[in-house]
Amino acid sequence: MKTIELQPNTNSLEVVGHLKFGRKRRGFIPRGVTFLAVLIILLMLAVIIGNIVIGGTPTISWEFLTHPPEQGMEAGGVFPAIFGTVALVILMVIAVIPIGVFTAIYLQEYTSPKSRITRLIRIAINNLAGVPSIVFGLFGLGFFIAFVGGGLDSLFYPEEGPVWGQPAIIWASLTLALLTLPVVIISTEEALRTIPRELREASYALGGTKLQTIWRIIIPQATPGILTGSILAVSRGAGEVAPIMFTGAAYYLPYLPTKLNDQFMELGYHIYVMATQSPDIEATKPLLYGTVLVLLLLTFSLNSVAILIRSRMRRSRVSAQ
Amino acid sequence: MSALSNTNSMKALSVTTAVSDELQPDIKFKMIVENLNFSYGSVQALFDISMKIRRNRVTALIGPSGCGKSTFLRVLNRMNETIPGTSMEGTVLLDGRNIYEDFDDPSAIRTRVGMVFQKSNPFPKSIFDNVAYGLRVNGIKNKQLIIQVVEQSLRRAALWEEVEDKLDNSAFMLSGGQQQRLCIARALAIRPEVILMDEPASALDPISTAKIEDLIGELRKHYTIVIVTHNMQQAARVSDHTGFFYEGRLIEYGPTKQIFTRPAKKKTEDYVTGRFG
């Protein structure tokens, strides 16, 4: 760049030609280094996914997908774990979306971004995102199960054994919701920030109240962003094991969860159990591969459904413009 | 407008503004502003402005950028309240009632003092829903009535013929000029008494601008209009009265003809003759 400033009077064409040549040669090394980094990532991904697909595909069958584990997990399938994972993620989304979206709306629409309270809340949210997931698991155990669940039991079921004060799918999904809350808040806020001021003003100018403006204009506009948040929350939540091992996931269950206070089997936890607790690791290996593949496919398909919905909404908006 | 004189709808629209005081609204003046000061934080934008806006006339506000004319316009329907950190002194009367003190809810003012913005800002909704929005947020649920008012408003905004068979299409499919007329139709649908226009044609081509100006000429039969414009010819063409703003002060205010032909103040003359600004 300096050459241009130093030689303002030389023939400009010559300078440009010279620069172009030099830049091309100098650009080769950074380009090569950065490309190498990309290559390493792609290779790793290919190895991981390739290994899982090759190892897992022979195991996957209709039987495997629709049957419970048998013979101490050395045979049978993973159906209860698939069912449990889907149920867990759905409950988590139901819990995290309203709380996350309302928090983002509060921060973005009702408080001034410069106020101390807003900054404090933002710091808290960022810290929440940095808490290790095992800590969430312990928190879920202490708060949801012992405090909330135990409290409910002593209030409503003092005679019986624990009804709510025990590991259950509701507590596991709430713990996961807490873990994924920052993701939803941040992406919703991002979406709210991009809504032009003119739209809000148009609504106010027509006699719309703040609540009507938020409900009829702002939330519909922010929906793709909210969906992005839920996609990220699902991919994060579906793969987490640590937060659910104390709060509701079961080693093995002969039945499917049908009530909110039932325990459940979950794919990630099932993988952990098979990998660490099996007496004969060689016998469970194919099943392990199959289960990992199922978890991957499930997460991908949950993601792609959400991405599909989002891109459809975006397209309708883009074509509208 | 026959459907609109339906008493139920009138009640629904005016229920929020009902005040029992017997006031004699000034026959000549729709809005009266007295000793208005306005600040954004510590920066004062308007200084001691008093202005009487005539009923069923077009009042143009002219002046160089940053002179406060848009701020003044937005004081007239309490839109400035949506910006945090602003402060205001003085009185703004609408038919004799103080819009800042006699109405608890600013949205009640805004149904009587409508607004059209510089940049057309239709909602990402259908053409129909854009016009119906104001009715719906004001609690009107009668579908027949909404359909009638949407048609009347679009007719008044001279847009009906262009959109009547595509009311369900997105408003973004319209051209820029059509979008701006849609925004005017949307403002008309809630039956305002005053319409504020903030440079409504500044982003439009000459043909669309001419259409908007014709429309303003039509609308002045029914509404009191206040229009901010950068375009001196436009002010001369459409307005009955003109106010010249400079550095937050109302320098001169009078009949448009007088402002443009024999202004009393030197500053005004310099501006309208293009010597600065």
Side-chain angles (χ1 to χ4, degrees), chain B residues 21-71:
Chain B
D21 297 11
E22 272 300 319
L23 283 161
Q24 284 295 320
D26 199 305
I27 294 167
K28 229 164 127 191
F29 301 109
K30 181 71 186 173
M31 294 189 85
I32 297 174
V33 180
E34 275 161 359
N35 307 108
L36 175 76
N37 285 291
F38 187 90
S39 306
Y40 294 103
S42 56
V43 182
Q44 190 162 356
L46 296 174
F47 299 85
D48 194 33
I49 289 177
S50 297
M51 188 172 188
K52 293 179 170 180
I53 292 160
R54 273 164 214 268
R55 193 180 297 276
N56 287 33
R57 292 284 184 277
V58 179
T59 304
L61 310 177
I62 59 169
S65 296
C67 67
K69 56 196 188 306
S70 286
T71 301

Side-chain angles (χ1 to χ4, degrees), chain A residues 10-18:
Chain A
T10 45
N11 182 328
S12 61
L13 268 178
E14 217 167 89
V15 171
V16 168
H18 176 73

